Amino acid sequence: MKVALFIPCYVDQFYPQVAIATLELLEKYGCDVHFPKNQTCCGQPMANSGFEHLTHGCNDLFVENFTGFDYIVCPSGSCTMHIKEHLGVPGIAEKCYELTEFLTDVLVVDDLKVKFPYKVGLHQSCHGQRGLKIAQMSELNAPPFSKVERLLDQVEGLELVNLDRKDECCGFGGTFCVAEEALSVRMGQDRIADHMKNGTQVLTAGDMSCLMHMEGIIRREKLPIRVMHLAEILNGVEVEELNV
């Protein structure tokens, strides 16, 4: 299958290793992966701030760059949801998948053959969980499920940490962390405290934006937690490089 790699701008600028891990992971499972080099920001920050009428240029460019592929895959729930829900262009929206749902629903990965002998704390990002339905919401009286946990369960040696509040928002929220910085930081501190209390060594998620927010708190408070995107763990990162 011909797959276009849709990389969020903050990943491109600050966390290129996440994009590389996503590329390698897709190629391992036989995808013919292409990276449209003219891609830019998808326009999500403007749309979420009430300025969706200013995103036409981003929208047109996205359609131009990502037309003609079987699938569009992105290592970010929030950016994926923006394309699916806000852009909504036929032939584009229905082909766009967040990495986790693409691995579980399209490629049906059930044998990762990777090792990661650490205690991993999973952050369920809001857009992925409540928007894309990647995991069940705890506030609903419904059977639990998690596509991310289904993948992590395949990783040899990985121990998933049982958190007190497993699907609480970290407080990032894109431009929310700029407009309401004090509240955003306090929410992030609450999440990190939960991970510290329950012994997380490596904090992971499907959204690097949430991890970026919490990593800043971890670094400022000099806490012994390593932050890694889900793609890095599933791609089989060299554990010798980890210092946790």
Side-chain angles (χ1 to χ4, degrees), residues 14-181:
F14 303 123
Y15 302 97
Q17 74 275 13
V18 174
I20 293 170
T22 302
L23 166 67
E24 293 177 345
L25 188 58
L26 293 173
E27 289 183 335
K28 282 181 182 179
Y29 289 94
C31 297
D32 176 19
V33 185
H34 299 257
F35 178 73
K37 293 182 180 180
N38 291 328
Q39 62 180 288
T40 61
C41 177
C42 64
Q44 183 199 169
M46 288 181 283
N48 288 353
S49 300
F51 296 96
E52 191 165 4
H53 62 286
L54 299 179
T55 64
H56 298 306
C58 295
N59 296 344
D60 294 343
L61 184 60
F62 192 93
V63 173
E64 178 183 326
N65 282 320
F66 289 94
T67 295
F69 295 95
D70 298 321
Y71 295 97
I72 303 163
V73 178
C74 177
S76 166
S78 60
C79 294
T80 300
M81 187 176 172
H82 170 71
I83 296 303
K84 294 175 78 72
E85 301 294 330
H86 291 171
L87 183 62
V89 173
I92 294 289
E94 66 271 20
K95 293 181 179 180
C96 193
Y97 284 80
E98 185 269 344
L99 177 64
T100 300
E101 59 178 355
F102 186 73
L103 292 173
T104 56
D105 299 353
V106 179
L107 296 180
V108 195
V109 172
D110 58 7
D111 188 9
L112 281 164
K113 291 186 174 64
V114 293
K115 298 180 181 179
F116 197 75
Y118 294 97
K119 297 178 69 175
V120 174
L122 172 62
H123 176 70
Q124 299 274 20
S125 64
C126 298
H127 282 89
Q129 183 173 35
R130 293 176 171 82
L132 299 176
K133 308 297 189 296
I134 289 173
Q136 186 58 274
M137 297 164 275
S138 62
E139 62 266 25
L140 293 183
N141 184 16
F145 73 89
S146 172
K147 296 178 183 180
V148 182
E149 291 184 20
R150 191 189 312 170
L151 292 169
L152 291 176
D153 284 344
Q154 300 174 36
V155 179
E156 183 179 342
L158 186 149
E159 180 183 346
L160 193 61
V161 173
N162 187 26
L163 300 170
D164 294 343
R165 300 177 67 88
K166 64 184 296 183
D167 62 356
E168 189 172 88
C169 178
C170 69
F172 174 66
T175 53
F176 175 81
C177 72
V178 178
E180 299 287 351
E181 69 275 17

Side-chain angles (χ1 to χ4, degrees), residues 170 182 184-194 213 217 221:
C170 69
S184 173
V185 170
R186 191 69 186 94
M187 292 172 70
Q189 288 174 329
D190 283 348
R191 296 314 311 129
I192 297 302
D194 195 355
H213 173 59
I217 295 170
E221 298 186 1

